[in-house]
Amino acid sequence: RQIPQGPLKEVSVQSADKEERQRFLVFIHILLKTMKPKTNKEGHRGDSCNNKNTPLLVNTIEIIEKCIRNNRTNQLGYSPLKPVMEQQLRRIPGIDAYWNKAERYLNKYWCKRKEKQSLVDENQVGKVKKVNKDKYNGNGIVYLEPRQPDNDDDEHRSDESCDNIVGV
């Protein structure tokens, strides 16, 4: 007797594809953020920055726009978009340091996102209200109904668990 593999397998594959696309989109956003010149408290670019990476940033944005435009017009060689864009971006001289930094930031962000999601999923039964992160244990969530933690360490989870998972 065989177990049917049809619709359930498709749903999980679609879900994984959607998450992978979201992850890559966030990665591109982080990559561009890491490449932008830093500003000081007054909003001015400091002398220490001297905009060495501006041509690199402009080149990166041009490649991203070209890949998206060619993918949308169904140009040969621009589908699927993610691997094509990744391949072309990695060819840019000098992007490696920014790429690696963006990957580290993405891994930390994604780990924290998963932890928040699992925290919300665990407490789906009770009411959950999001608030300012500065209040209420710094995690941005207030439990309106009392919850029973599995163990005391669960309540005081640190960012170290993320760092250990992603090897940052």
Side-chain angles (χ1 to χ4, degrees):
R1 189 173 149 204
Q2 279 188 310
I3 300 172
Q5 297 281 330
L8 291 177
K9 188 174 184 182
E10 271 184 42
V11 169
S12 66
V13 169
Q14 288 172 352
S15 175
D17 287 346
K18 182 179 178 183
E19 183 172 330
E20 186 62 30
R21 283 193 308 268
Q22 286 175 339
R23 188 175 166 94
F24 188 69
L25 182 63
V26 171
F27 172 76
I28 293 297
H29 178 78
I30 292 171
L31 178 66
L32 294 175
K33 266 298 219 207
T34 59
M35 296 173 82
K36 284 187 180 174
K38 292 188 169 118
T39 56
N40 59 21
K41 291 179 183 177
E42 291 82 32
H44 303 290
R45 291 185 180 104
D47 290 337
S48 63
C49 183
N50 68 18
N51 298 332
K52 288 180 183 174
N53 61 336
T54 302
L56 183 63
L57 176 63
V58 170
N59 191 14
T60 302
I61 291 171
E62 287 174 351
I63 287 175
I64 291 169
E65 288 174 346
K66 181 183 90 175
C67 288
I68 292 171
R69 185 175 48 254
N70 289 339
N71 177 268
R72 287 182 179 166
T73 59
N74 296 321
Q75 296 262 339
L76 188 63
Y78 285 90
S79 183
L81 182 60
K82 180 191 174 292
V84 171
M85 189 181 296
E86 184 175 347
Q87 180 184 28
Q88 290 198 15
L89 288 174
R90 283 193 174 265
R91 288 183 186 164
I92 301 172
I95 201 168
D96 291 338
Y98 296 103
W99 191 278
N100 294 335
K101 189 175 187 179
E103 280 183 333
R104 286 192 307 269
Y105 284 141
L106 175 70
N107 288 336
K108 280 188 173 186
Y109 169 78
W110 212 257
C111 183
K112 287 180 183 181
R113 179 180 170 177
K114 290 285 188 187
E115 282 183 353
K116 277 186 179 181
Q117 185 61 43
S118 66
L119 190 61
V120 169
D121 289 346
E122 287 173 9
N123 293 292
Q124 201 86 31
V125 178
K127 296 178 184 176
V128 177
K129 178 182 177 186
K130 294 192 180 217
V131 296
N132 188 344
K133 285 185 176 184
D134 295 338
K135 301 177 183 177
Y136 309 104
N137 298 330
N139 64 6
I141 298 175
V142 175
Y143 299 97
L144 301 176
E145 294 179 3
R147 84 176 175 116
Q148 302 293 327
D150 294 336
N151 59 33
D152 291 335
D153 295 330
D154 210 20
E155 277 187 78
H156 305 290
R157 192 179 302 168
S158 69
D159 291 341
E160 292 173 8
S161 61
C162 284
D163 293 344
N164 291 337
I165 292 171
V166 295
V168 179

